[in-house]
Amino acid sequence: MNYALYYYDMCPFCQMVLRSLPGLNVEVEKRNVLQNPEYRQQQQKATGRTTVPCLLITNEQGEEQWMFESRDIIAFLNSL
Ligand SMILES: N[C@@H](CCC(=O)N[C@@H](CS)C(=O)NCC(=O)O)C(=O)O
């Protein structure tokens, strides 16, 4: 499984998720949507939304699942 967090620094909900990352058992790639507009376009194309934080979960088959809501993302990552 592969995990990527779409975020930007000034977003307080993103900061909550970012603060939870160091204690996790999994690696999460950080994708800053303001520094890299390609990430924002990719998220918008796939979900129709630009809301962050958003977690992209990619399984071994390359299938993608996008998760919104900081609380849900933190709970999910902590459950891994
Ligand atoms: N309830 C959401 C709130 C997320 C939220 O409001 N994100 C803001 C940035 S702080 C945002 O992305 N707004 C722009 C948009 O929705 O396109 C959460 O907890 O993740």
Side-chain angles (χ1 to χ4, degrees):
M1 297 292 265
N2 191 276
Y3 304 100
L5 181 71
Y6 290 68
Y7 78 102
Y8 59 77
D9 286 328
M10 293 297 286
C11 163
F13 303 99
C14 298
Q15 288 300 329
M16 288 200 301
V17 179
L18 289 168
R19 277 200 298 272
S20 77
L21 297 185
L24 296 175
N25 293 319
V26 289
E27 264 198 38
V28 178
E29 180 191 342
K30 291 189 277 181
R31 296 186 175 175
N32 188 315
V33 298
L34 295 187
Q35 282 180 359
N36 191 337
E38 267 183 38
Y39 290 149
R40 169 160 263 186
Q41 287 163 13
Q42 184 187 19
Q43 181 195 346
Q44 189 164 25
K45 193 174 171 199
T47 70
R49 298 172 61 183
T50 56
T51 306
V52 289
C54 182
L55 183 71
L56 170 59
I57 305 158
T58 308
N59 70 13
E60 289 82 356
Q61 287 75 42
E63 295 163 341
E64 296 182 341
Q65 183 189 341
W66 297 79
M67 180 182 289
F68 289 97
E69 290 301 324
S70 51
R71 280 187 192 181
D72 293 345
I73 293 169
I74 291 169
F76 170 75
L77 290 172
N78 274 297
S79 75
L80 297 173

